[in-house]
Amino acid sequence: MQYPVPEGAGDAWMELARAYDTYSENELKQKIACYELAVPLYKMAVNKLKQAMALQMLGDCYNHQGVLAPALSALEQALAIYKDIRYPALQGIYDLLGNVHSQMGNYKIALDNGFMAVKTAEAMQDTSLMLCTIYNRLGLTFYHLGDHAQALTYFKKSLGIAERWNDTASILTLIPNVASALQGLGRPEDAVHILGDMEKHYHITSDEDKATLSAGLVNSYISLGRFEEAHIRVKKLTCLSRAFGTFHYMQDGIYVALINYFLAVRDYENVKWYGTNYEIYCKNGGYAYELLNDYKSLFRADSALGNYADAIVYYQQYKLLQDSLYGEEKTREIAQLQMQYDMEKKDHDLLLKEQRIQLLTRRGQLQKSDLQRARLEGNVIIGGTLMLVILLVLGYNRYQLKQRINRQLQLQQREISEQHHSLHVLLCTQRKLVAEKEWLVKEIHHRVKDNLQIIMRLLNAQAAHLDDENALAAIRESRHRMQAISLIHQKLYSSESMALVGMDIYIRELVAYFEDSFAGLRQISFDLQIADVYLEVCQAVPIGLILNEAITNSFKYAFPAGEEGTITVNLQYISEEDILLSVKDNGKGLPVDFEKRRHASMGILLMETLSEQLEGKLSVKNKDGVSVTLIFKPQLDREKIPGLLKLVNKTA
């Protein structure tokens, strides 16, 4: 098909825009530039539908970029064109307008557009993911208004649609929204519960989803007074914040969680620092609701720090913005709008009831016709009954024959029952023997763990009488190795499985042991990326020792005293039959002469020997820090581990 030049060029720019990622700051700028070029081309070609669609996409991108005024202008132009050409499917444009007005603090207009989006979608019988987005944004508007019950209702509606479509990306966005509404309703334990389930059941890989999850847990942990758990998540949020751009949309939730945490622990200097940055972020994007809460936090921080002049200024700004957002007149208008929507919904329900009554009336008439037909059929049945009596007489003879056969079957059944009883007795005996065996295996693991603990205590006692630093270092390293093995036997003793070790929990406990054992470790953080991997004891012990050596080397060489850094531990399936274990730090790397000393290093020799035992491939790289990588094959039958094949076959 031949297009006029302007329209064809506009189509080309639109197609190019689709290639750019909305969630990348640089690519979003390129996407906006493409739409800005497409709009005037469609206007020249007098194709109003494509012009409106390009304006709608442009407004959505402006909204993602955080510049609300241009977004509102583009979306209003698009709506005017849609109405001019009588385009029916307006739920998407109403939804975007409601979202932009909500962020600007125009809650009455936001609710009006949100309700219009719902009505239009329902009239069009739209059950797609568009309705999921509409319900979510309507819930966000109610959340900003402080109506957390209504917000929770709409968030759950949205989540139900996302789950019906099995849209993981939407689910990972909506579960934290539900948690925020529960938090607002004073149910932080429920919020922690659903966020924990989300982390357990979904493979969270993107930094955006990690930030949303951690921010939600920080807010809930603060409400429950669990500040140590909150602090762990705060460290993750701090790292993620540095990874995002200054005005990236994810900074919103990160700043709020960090400010809430530092307010709770009374670290007002950090509240002031993050609050000032958040103020710049909110003003740049025009976010009224977020700016209101930030003013309140800055007022509290300056009051606690004795900066009373600044505190008064922030309080005045807070009151002015609060009156503009939640004035008495606006509150009344919003209530009237909600009442109007409820009335219209009731009228719509009554109309549906009348239609159902008419349908039932027609069904009644059909039932009368069916009754007359049934009478005719009854006469036919009487004649058929006579024939049936004759057949019954003939069937009686067959019944007598069947009775004789049944008696023979009963005798056979009795014999089978006796055999079944004997088998049941044998099975009970076997189960008892298995239970005794399991108890003995558990006792062995318990004894091994206790013996290792005794050896560790003996090493500690011996270390108290030594002055030689090399000997002390050797004892410390031996103690860490024994602790790595002891943890495995402890897991086997306390778990239902006698031979399999869950590596996720084991590695986290091993890292916690290192954090407790090494002094001056507060500046080093761990990034654990552990899949749901189960290993037999013969492989779990070498893996634990390799982890011990790799992490110990990072402590010794990567980070001088007081220097910050991150140690990343990754354990994943990279194929159906291969597992990758890697330990990487971002420190200064190994000493220059390390290769010369490599064959004299007990830790490296031990890792190489253990990798040979695992029949794996070990590599140690010294680039941008030290990376220890091991690829090996698990020895267990993976189909015995619940959910393991599903984990391997899952696609992003």
Side-chain angles (χ1 to χ4, degrees), residues 470-571:
N470 291 330
L472 289 171
I475 288 177
R476 281 196 299 271
E477 290 177 359
S478 299
R479 189 172 67 242
H480 296 325
R481 292 165 185 150
M482 289 183 184
Q483 179 64 21
I485 300 172
S486 176
L487 277 175
I488 290 174
H489 289 284
Q490 180 179 344
K491 300 303 296 180
L492 290 170
Y493 174 72
S494 59
S495 68
E496 294 181 0
S497 173
M498 297 295 104
L500 299 178
V501 179
M503 298 306 293
D504 184 5
I505 299 175
Y506 167 69
I507 292 175
R508 295 180 188 279
E509 292 182 358
L510 183 61
V511 169
Y513 163 75
F514 282 124
E515 290 179 333
D516 292 339
S517 300
F518 283 87
L521 203 58
R522 293 186 176 272
Q523 78 279 8
I524 301 174
S525 61
F526 283 88
D527 183 10
L528 304 182
Q529 302 174 10
I530 313 300
D532 193 9
V533 175
Y534 290 81
L535 296 178
E536 293 184 351
V537 182
C538 61
Q539 287 191 310
V541 171
I543 290 298
L545 291 172
I546 289 172
L547 279 170
N548 174 77
E549 299 303 324
I551 294 173
T552 302
N553 282 342
S554 292
F555 291 157
K556 289 167 63 178
Y557 301 114
F559 307 108
E563 185 172 305
E564 293 186 354
T566 301
I567 298 176
T568 302
V569 180
N570 189 357
L571 184 66

Side-chain angles (χ1 to χ4, degrees), residues 240-261:
L240 289 169
S241 179
R242 288 195 292 265
F244 294 125
T246 305
F247 298 109
H248 193 280
Y249 72 99
M250 287 306 303
Q251 296 287 13
D252 182 11
I254 292 174
Y255 278 138
V256 170
L258 293 176
I259 290 170
N260 288 341
Y261 172 76

Side-chain angles (χ1 to χ4, degrees), residues 96-326:
L96 287 171
L97 280 166
N99 180 247
V100 172
H101 278 296
S102 177
Q103 292 180 83
M104 297 176 75
N106 305 325
Y107 296 123
K108 178 185 179 299
I109 304 174
L111 282 179
D112 192 14
N113 280 285
F115 289 146
M116 285 296 295
V118 173
K119 287 167 61 177
T120 308
E122 291 176 348
M124 299 287 294
Q125 296 183 343
D126 184 356
T127 58
S128 66
L129 285 171
M130 172 61 71
L131 189 60
C132 169
T133 303
I134 292 170
Y135 282 144
N136 178 45
R137 287 176 171 167
L138 195 53
L140 288 171
T141 302
F142 277 113
Y143 183 83
H144 288 167
L145 286 168
D147 192 345
H148 298 113
Q150 283 279 37
L152 181 60
T153 299
Y154 283 106
F155 287 151
K156 285 185 174 179
K157 283 185 176 182
S158 181
L159 182 59
I161 296 173
E163 289 174 340
R164 190 159 61 245
W165 283 88
N166 197 25
D167 183 10
T168 304
S170 297
I171 291 171
L172 293 179
T173 300
L174 289 164
I175 289 177
N177 286 354
V178 173
S180 296
L182 290 170
Q183 173 76 14
L185 290 170
R187 296 162 59 186
E189 291 184 357
D190 293 339
V192 169
H193 177 71
I194 66 168
L195 290 172
D197 283 347
M198 166 181 156
E199 188 173 27
K200 185 185 302 180
H201 293 117
Y202 293 95
H203 186 51
I204 301 174
T205 57
S206 72
D207 287 345
E208 287 81 0
D209 291 332
K210 289 178 181 178
T212 305
L213 172 68
S214 293
L217 286 172
V218 167
N219 293 325
S220 298
Y221 285 149
I222 291 169
S223 299
L224 294 169
R226 294 156 62 175
F227 297 114
E228 291 183 0
E229 293 170 274
H231 179 66
I232 295 172
R233 298 288 176 171
V234 164
K235 289 196 294 184
K236 285 190 176 182
L237 287 177
T238 305
C239 295
L240 289 169
S241 179
R242 288 195 292 265
F244 294 125
T246 305
F247 298 109
H248 193 280
Y249 72 99
M250 287 306 303
Q251 296 287 13
D252 182 11
I254 292 174
Y255 278 138
V256 170
L258 293 176
I259 290 170
N260 288 341
Y261 172 76
F262 288 120
L263 277 173
V265 298
R266 300 181 181 179
D267 185 352
Y268 296 110
E269 290 290 349
N270 268 319
V271 174
K272 181 71 175 176
W273 193 87
Y274 283 107
T276 304
N277 286 310
Y278 191 34
E279 180 183 7
I280 296 170
Y281 170 86
C282 293
K283 287 181 177 178
N284 178 74
Y287 304 124
Y289 170 80
E290 290 79 1
L291 186 59
L292 176 70
N293 292 328
D294 188 47
Y295 281 151
K296 186 177 180 181
S297 300
L298 286 169
F299 161 70
R300 291 179 60 187
D302 278 326
S303 297
L305 293 170
N307 304 328
Y308 299 116
D310 291 341
I312 291 171
V313 172
Y314 280 124
Y315 183 74
Q316 290 171 339
Q317 291 175 326
Y318 168 76
K319 292 301 294 180
L320 286 172
L321 187 55
Q322 185 185 48
D323 292 340
S324 68
L325 292 177
Y326 305 109

Side-chain angles (χ1 to χ4, degrees), residues 417-430:
S417 297
E418 291 174 357
Q419 292 175 358
H420 176 73
H421 178 71
S422 300
L423 288 173
H424 179 70
V425 172
L426 290 173
L427 182 61
C428 289
T429 304
Q430 184 182 23

